[in-house]
Amino acid sequence: MAEKTPADFWFDPLCPWAWMTSRWMLEVEKVRPVEVRWHVMSLAVLNEPKLDELPEEYRELLKTAWGPVRVCIAAEQKYGNEVLGPLYTALGTRFHNRAQERTRETLVEALEEAGLPADLADAADSTEYDEALRASHKEGIDLVGQDVGTPVIAVPGADGGQVAFFGPVVTPAPKGEAAAKLWDGTLLVASTPGFFEIKRTRDVGPIFD
């Protein structure tokens, strides 16, 4: 069997664009020898330095952003990194595909689906795991730089080290050979020294299926 290429993926479960990219990465695992390693980052932490400059509506959204990431990091700290993927899928399906409220009940449902104890939902209102959350967030941001959002992915570069990007931002999530081609392109640009950015204005919102 071919050795699997690692892809480190930092997510905040509230971000619909990260959700799109994460579903693409799961598809990539089916069509390329790739292993996704999940990590938590936080939109709340990311926006702390500029909180006063943000629109009121977005500030209100960020108040709800602490709970889910705290639950994710608590689950990882207690039960290992391998629980993050299933928990993210359970949370994201509820937040994005089903448009469920970000309540304790929703968190408990997701935890139970992922095979985790319901009392991990207590972490949503606790600062106990914030140090670990900030460390996980910093790990991803240090790789990619400050002028980004979520998701962040890190893949092997030309020199054998990691190259990190914000994105790719894509909707709907490509499947099959389309997913494979986007992955191949991601590795291609990562192997190009000095490559930084390709971007265009989004003219469609995230398409959940």
Side-chain angles (χ1 to χ4, degrees):
M1 293 181 65
E3 182 179 352
K4 290 188 176 182
T5 300
D8 289 285
F9 190 107
W10 279 264
F11 68 91
D12 184 315
L14 258 63
C15 179
W17 294 105
W19 179 244
M20 291 285 92
T21 309
S22 72
R23 300 309 93 180
W24 162 66
M25 283 304 312
L26 290 183
E27 190 72 12
V28 170
E29 284 190 315
K30 300 175 185 177
V31 294
R32 290 290 187 267
V34 172
E35 179 183 11
V36 182
R37 301 183 298 203
W38 303 99
H39 309 276
V40 184
M41 68 181 294
S42 168
L43 288 170
V45 173
L46 183 70
N47 286 284
E48 276 182 329
K50 53 186 177 183
L51 198 59
D52 292 340
E53 304 169 15
L54 298 174
E56 177 64 26
E57 182 180 357
Y58 195 62
R59 289 202 301 269
E60 289 301 312
L61 172 67
L62 290 177
K63 290 179 182 178
T64 71
W66 285 103
V69 289
R70 282 170 168 168
V71 170
C72 286
I73 207 73
E76 182 185 32
Q77 291 287 300
K78 286 191 172 184
Y79 298 101
N81 180 261
E82 63 273 11
V83 306
L84 274 184
L87 179 55
Y88 181 27
T89 291
L91 286 168
T93 300
R94 285 164 174 77
F95 292 161
H96 305 299
N97 297 71
R98 302 178 188 171
Q100 290 182 225
E101 296 294 327
R102 303 177 192 102
T103 61
R104 179 184 175 86
E105 289 73 23
T106 301
L107 294 175
V108 168
E109 282 183 20
L111 286 164
E112 290 177 344
E113 180 180 310
L116 293 164
D119 62 8
L120 280 172
D122 295 342
D125 300 312
S126 169
T127 60
E128 180 179 356
Y129 298 96
D130 282 9
E131 183 176 349
L133 172 62
R134 291 178 183 277
S136 179
H137 176 89
K138 184 177 185 297
E139 183 183 10
I141 289 297
D142 283 352
L143 286 172
V144 75
Q146 294 293 325
D147 190 26
V148 299
T150 174
V152 169
I153 65 169
V155 300
D159 61 359
Q162 281 189 311
V163 176
F165 297 113
F166 161 60
V169 176
V170 61
T171 190
K175 293 180 172 58
E177 188 57 23
K181 287 180 178 179
L182 180 56
W183 171 252
D184 294 343
T186 301
L187 292 184
L188 179 62
V189 297
S191 69
T192 304
F195 175 84
F196 292 104
E197 184 176 12
I198 294 176
K199 189 172 183 179
R200 64 177 179 148
T201 300
R202 303 173 200 172
D203 58 4
V204 63
I207 299 169
F208 307 120
D209 57 15

